[in-house]
Amino acid sequence: MSTAQGSSKVFKSIKTPIAIMLVGAVLVISALVTWFAAQKHEQLYTESVKSNLTALTRNMADELLPVLMAASSGPVTATASMGGTKSTNRTTSPDMGSSAFFSADPIQAIMKRAAAYQHIVQARVYDGHKVLLHSQTGVAGHKYGLPKNDPYVLLLNSPSGTYHIDEQLIASRRIIQDGVTYGYLMIMNDINSPVTNSWRTLLWHVGPLVALSLLITIAIGLYWLNRLLTPLSSLSHFTHQLSQSTDYTRRFKTRSNGEVARLGQNVNMLLDTIEAELTINDEQNQTLIEQQQTMSRLANFDSLTGLPNRQFVMDNLRLELARAKRQSTDLALMFFDLDGFKGINDSLGHETGDLILIEVADRVSGMLRESDLVARLGGDEFIIVPDRDVTDVSLDNLAQRVIAAFEKPFHFRGLALTVGVSIGIARAIEADFELSQLMSNADLAMYRSKARGRGMATIFTNEMVETHKRKLSIANSIDQGIVNNEFVLFYQPKIDRNGQVIGFEALMRWEHPDFGLVLPGEFIPVAEQSGKISLLTRWAIEQSCADLSLLQSVMQHKFRVAINLSGHDLRHSELFDVIYQIFTEQQVNPEYIEFEVTESAYLENFESANKLFKRLSNMGCAVALDDFGTGYSSLSYLTQISIDTLKIDRQFVREISTCHRSRLVTGAIIDLAKRLSLTICAEGVEELSQWEYLLNHGCDHVQGYLFSKPLPLEKIALLPDYFDFGSSPRQRSEDGGKS
């Protein structure tokens, strides 16, 4: 294992590849130098042999010249010696153009000199007619044999010189005097063997020196390589140990100079920086720990009221529910929010709203026991978890104390503001000890309290779940109801001072396949909560425009059909385009249409509503403000809005006969509308005395069950032209005015 690790470290070190490259480079360069030296040696040696062979040939030719000249003057018998044997040539006469008889002894003696050279293969002498006179085989010829192809024949006609043919050097020289050729001398020398022997000799003598030089060079190179790279290895080892120990107080030390030393200095400078940063980080970590503790407190408590927040109470409720389930005990939850808080927050600002929330927290905390838990969930929503008794009587008493705590007004900046609460109560057993279900049950109970009139407390029952399921079913079936034509419009007539019908309010009804007749008071809020109110509004506008032609055939005078818009519709930026498209497609005169919107919806969407109703007024439609006087807003907005009619809420009309204050408010509203040049319409008129009071105080239009309930379209034709209750309304008004 250690051997393998050592081997791995060796090959991972930078020294190994550099050493391999160094040795390889030295060997390659040495091999190339040796190869070039060999080539140069061979070239020089060949030139030397060629020069010597040329000189030998010239000398022997000079010696053969007098012999051949003497022989050419008389008949001489020429002989050819092949390895010492003689042969007699034919007799010629030089002056007759034939070979003479030469004496072979002088030629042979001269030719034997060539045989004495070690690398001479063969030497030949020819007469002037290219007839072989003598051939002498040398040492190389006896040793390696003669070439199979005779190269001499090719050179007899060539100029004198030395030729390299088939690894042989052949020297050819013409024996000539005064322009007369007396013969030819050719000597073949072996060049391959002497070059090879010379190369071997060179290697034998030079090889050990070269090898020694290589070893010394490699050794010196490796020594300096190790000396140069050892500091780098030390630095690498240092950084590795540093990464293992994370001790940034250590520093790298080296006696070397150069780049590695500078790199070590840079590493030390980096360690100085790291050590300084670590010191700073330690200080900051301590600060962060303290801040984290503070943030932990802030995370669990509401920064505004100081009460436990949603996260804290939910975590505790999970634990308490688990404990209650194990011990088979019950746990109660009281959920409440503030009635009318949104109106105060919008009209007086968030700063005032925050002050109210702080006061609410103080009031509730002050009336509870120490073991009870009160927390703020967010906005104006609060939660109370009683510690002990969870009987109906105990929970109702606690709820009534909470409600009573808000009977006293809140005093801020000279204003006395009254804020109520609606409370929902739920038990853990009924939620099967599930936190989400418990919260849902309490929420359902709270909304039941709001539906009962606010300032109320309601304990959750399973019937509320059924009601909630009914709402979900209604919400989920609105789309299909429109497709299946389950919705229908009813029209309630509006009556002028003379008892004549001057308009209608279009009211939706829903013939639900499962629930039967569903009234707008039930499905409109569900549609608003589920985001489907725009579908119903579009359907109502389209259907009202479609019914308009039949209403025009019944009515013989000008009238308007009032269509209700919700606050969600006012936030729909494309509502005007939808209305314009419907009017265009159905060729509707806008002067027959009036749009009604509640006061609260108008004020909650003031800018978008103003823009929409100005465009509708310019097109010819009328605009009515419904439920006037029931909100919390300042009356200054009446000078900024674009409306034609104020509608008195049925709450004031219902109490005209029994409440003096309601009569005063109603009269004030009528007087205000007259001063603003607005038409005034009262809804919910059910008694003759109410109509008489409204007429006497200048109300322009009325509607209610005294005249007619909302009717389907086919029954509109049955309405009388005038509503008369014993005397003309005008006369009754005059009589009432006199009295």
Side-chain angles (χ1 to χ4, degrees):
M1 185 69 178
S2 60
T3 304
Q5 291 178 349
S7 176
S8 176
K9 290 182 179 179
V10 168
F11 284 102
K12 287 183 179 179
S13 173
I14 192 175
K15 293 180 180 180
T16 301
I18 294 179
I20 292 174
M21 288 190 293
L22 175 62
V23 173
V26 171
L27 293 176
V28 169
I29 292 173
S30 299
L32 289 175
V33 170
T34 302
W35 183 79
F36 282 116
Q39 294 295 318
K40 191 64 177 177
H41 173 74
E42 181 178 349
Q43 181 183 358
L44 294 175
Y45 186 81
T46 301
E47 293 295 331
S48 175
V49 172
K50 183 184 292 186
S51 176
N52 293 335
L53 183 60
T54 301
L56 176 63
T57 305
R58 183 176 59 250
N59 293 335
M60 289 180 66
D62 291 341
E63 292 179 4
L64 288 173
L65 178 61
V67 175
L68 295 178
M69 289 179 62
S72 64
S73 60
V76 179
T77 301
T79 62
S81 174
M82 299 295 290
T85 61
K86 298 180 180 179
S87 59
T88 302
N89 291 330
R90 59 187 179 87
T91 301
T92 59
S93 177
D95 52 346
M96 295 182 63
S98 60
S99 298
F101 290 95
F102 296 98
S103 172
D105 292 336
I107 296 176
Q108 184 177 2
I110 295 172
M111 296 296 288
K112 280 185 178 182
R113 290 175 54 194
Y117 290 92
Q118 182 181 0
H119 299 296
I120 297 297
V121 177
Q122 193 180 46
R124 291 184 182 183
V125 61
Y126 296 86
D127 63 7
H129 300 285
K130 302 178 183 179
V131 176
L132 179 63
L133 299 178
H134 183 78
S135 65
Q136 182 68 43
T137 302
V139 176
H142 291 294
K143 186 175 182 180
Y144 302 109
L146 299 176
K148 295 180 180 181
N149 298 322
D150 188 355
Y152 297 106
V153 178
L154 301 174
L155 300 177
L156 288 175
N157 297 322
S158 299
S160 297
T162 303
Y163 300 92
H164 197 168
I165 301 176
D166 295 335
E167 298 181 355
Q168 308 292 330
L169 283 179
I170 301 177
S172 171
R173 189 165 186 86
R174 183 176 296 182
I175 304 172
I176 187 172
Q177 180 69 28
D178 297 329
V180 179
T181 300
Y182 293 97
Y184 301 89
L185 175 63
M186 292 188 181
I187 302 176
M188 180 188 301
N189 188 83
D190 180 18
I191 191 61
N192 187 38
S193 297
V195 170
T196 302
N197 292 336
S198 176
W199 174 238
R200 289 176 181 173
T201 302
L202 178 64
L203 289 180
W204 178 257
H205 290 88
V206 179
L209 181 61
V210 172
L212 180 61
S213 300
L214 285 175
L215 291 176
I216 294 174
T217 302
I218 292 173
I220 294 173
L222 293 177
Y223 168 76
W224 282 104
L225 176 65
N226 181 68
R227 185 169 181 177
L228 291 173
L229 295 182
T230 294
L232 185 60
S233 300
S234 300
L235 180 59
S236 175
H237 181 67
F238 170 77
T239 55
H240 176 72
Q241 289 183 334
L242 189 66
S243 65
Q244 297 295 325
S245 64
T246 64
D247 181 11
Y248 298 107
T249 61
R250 300 177 60 184
R251 295 296 180 268
F252 177 70
K253 298 178 181 180
T254 181
R255 297 179 181 177
S256 65
N257 297 318
E259 293 183 356
V260 176
R262 289 195 295 272
L263 179 60
Q265 294 173 0
N266 293 336
V267 170
N268 290 336
M269 292 174 60
L270 179 61
L271 291 175
D272 292 338
T273 304
I274 292 175
E275 186 177 5
E277 290 295 330
L278 287 176
T279 303
I280 296 174
N281 286 341
D282 290 339
E283 297 174 354
Q284 292 179 344
N285 284 339
Q286 185 61 34
T287 304
L288 287 174
I289 291 173
E290 297 173 358
Q291 292 177 347
Q292 186 175 9
Q293 294 173 350
T294 303
M295 292 175 64
S296 178
R297 291 192 299 271
L298 294 175
N300 293 323
F301 292 88
D302 180 46
S303 59
L304 178 64
T305 62
L307 297 176
N309 60 15
R310 174 184 288 272
Q311 184 63 41
F312 180 83
V313 75
M314 291 302 171
D315 292 341
N316 278 272
L317 274 176
R318 290 187 182 93
L319 297 176
E320 291 298 320
L321 287 171
R323 179 187 60 80
K325 187 175 184 179
R326 288 195 305 270
Q327 298 177 0
S328 299
T329 58
D330 202 358
L331 178 71
L333 179 67
M334 300 182 66
F335 183 82
F336 70 91
D337 70 357
L338 307 181
D339 298 331
F341 177 77
K342 188 178 186 304
I344 294 176
N345 210 28
D346 292 343
S347 59
L348 300 181
H350 293 285
E351 184 178 353
T352 302
D354 290 344
L355 294 175
I356 290 178
L357 293 175
I358 295 173
E359 181 66 23
V360 168
D362 292 341
R363 288 190 185 185
V364 176
S365 299
M367 56 159 291
L368 296 177
R369 298 166 296 191
E370 292 184 0
S371 56
D372 295 334
L373 174 65
V374 58
R376 181 189 177 202
L377 297 184
D380 63 334
E381 296 179 342
F382 295 82
I383 191 172
I384 298 174
V385 183
D387 180 50
R388 290 188 292 274
D389 191 3
V390 293
T391 61
D392 286 353
V393 175
S394 176
L395 293 174
D396 185 65
N397 289 336
L398 178 59
Q400 294 306 319
R401 291 203 307 272
V402 173
I403 293 173
F406 291 91
E407 292 178 353
K408 182 180 177 181
F410 295 91
H411 295 279
F412 299 108
R413 299 174 180 175
L415 298 175
L417 304 175
T418 301
V419 177
V421 293
S422 296
I423 302 175
I425 306 172
R427 292 188 177 88
I429 290 180
E430 294 171 342
D432 196 23
F433 298 93
E434 291 291 334
L435 178 58
S436 59
Q437 188 61 48
L438 179 64
M439 294 292 294
S440 177
N441 292 349
D443 188 60
L444 287 175
M446 185 198 69
Y447 277 102
R448 179 59 63 90
S449 296
K450 288 184 178 295
R452 291 169 58 194
R454 302 185 179 184
M456 305 287 289
T458 304
I459 298 177
F460 172 81
T461 62
N462 290 325
E463 175 267 334
M464 297 179 188
V465 176
E466 296 301 322
T467 302
H468 184 61
K469 290 181 179 179
R470 175 184 172 95
K471 289 182 178 179
L472 289 178
S473 178
I474 288 175
N476 293 330
S477 56
I478 287 177
D479 298 281
Q480 195 63 32
I482 294 176
V483 174
N484 295 338
N485 295 320
E486 297 171 4
F487 291 94
V488 64
L489 283 182
F490 278 45
Y491 295 91
Q492 186 175 32
K494 294 182 180 181
I495 312 301
D496 66 3
R497 297 178 58 83
N498 298 319
Q500 185 179 19
V501 178
I502 49 83
F504 301 91
E505 181 177 1
L507 301 171
M508 297 181 68
R509 300 291 185 266
W510 187 3
E511 288 292 340
H512 197 281
D514 298 326
F515 304 135
L517 180 64
V518 183
L519 297 178
E522 181 178 6
F523 68 78
I524 291 297
V526 173
E528 290 179 341
Q529 294 172 7
S530 61
K532 297 181 179 180
I533 188 64
S534 297
L535 296 176
L536 293 180
T537 300
R538 183 183 184 112
W539 178 88
I541 296 173
E542 290 178 341
Q543 191 61 42
S544 298
C545 292
D547 294 345
L548 188 60
S549 59
L550 183 58
L551 291 173
Q552 289 173 334
S553 65
V554 174
M555 305 295 294
Q556 302 300 320
H557 53 273
K558 187 69 175 293
F559 66 94
R560 290 184 185 272
V561 175
I563 304 171
N564 290 283
L565 300 178
S566 73
H568 292 75
D569 295 324
L570 300 181
R571 290 189 288 271
H572 185 33
S573 59
E574 299 179 356
L575 178 60
F576 178 82
D577 296 332
V578 172
I579 295 173
Y580 182 81
Q581 178 186 0
I582 295 174
F583 284 0
T584 302
E585 291 176 353
Q586 301 197 27
Q587 298 181 350
V588 172
N589 184 352
E591 295 181 357
Y592 281 88
I593 302 297
E594 181 181 52
F595 289 100
E596 290 188 8
V597 62
T598 62
E599 178 187 31
S600 58
Y602 199 125
L603 297 182
E604 288 175 2
N605 309 274
F606 191 79
E607 292 184 2
S608 58
N610 250 358
K611 182 179 179 181
L612 171 66
F613 291 137
K614 284 181 180 179
R615 298 180 71 182
L616 290 175
S617 297
N618 293 335
M619 191 168 57
C621 298
V623 179
L625 191 66
D626 199 4
D627 297 343
F628 180 75
T630 59
Y632 296 91
S633 301
S634 169
L635 294 178
S636 61
Y637 75 89
L638 287 175
T639 63
Q640 306 174 39
I641 62 178
S642 301
I643 60 173
D644 303 285
T645 302
L646 276 182
K647 295 191 71 174
I648 302 175
D649 187 69
R650 66 181 68 250
Q651 171 185 340
F652 299 112
V653 175
R654 184 170 57 248
E655 297 175 353
I656 283 177
S657 302
T658 58
C659 180
H660 178 66
R661 288 181 177 272
S662 293
R663 289 195 294 271
L664 291 177
V665 171
T666 302
I669 293 174
I670 295 174
D671 184 61
L672 176 64
K674 294 299 182 182
R675 293 179 182 274
L676 294 175
S677 300
L678 300 176
T679 301
I680 189 73
C681 177
E683 59 182 359
V685 178
E686 298 181 0
E687 299 176 1
L688 184 61
S689 60
Q690 296 170 347
W691 188 27
E692 290 176 344
Y693 180 86
L694 293 169
L695 287 174
N696 291 335
H697 285 77
C699 183
D700 299 305
H701 304 149
V702 293
Q703 65 182 97
Y705 284 5
L706 175 64
F707 307 98
S708 174
K709 294 181 179 181
L711 300 173
L713 181 63
E714 59 270 14
K715 292 186 178 182
I716 295 298
L718 302 178
L719 288 173
D721 294 334
Y722 289 92
F723 288 90
D724 189 1
F725 297 94
S727 62
S728 69
R730 186 184 302 277
Q731 182 64 40
R732 186 163 47 253
S733 175
E734 293 174 356
D735 295 341
K738 292 176 182 180
S739 62

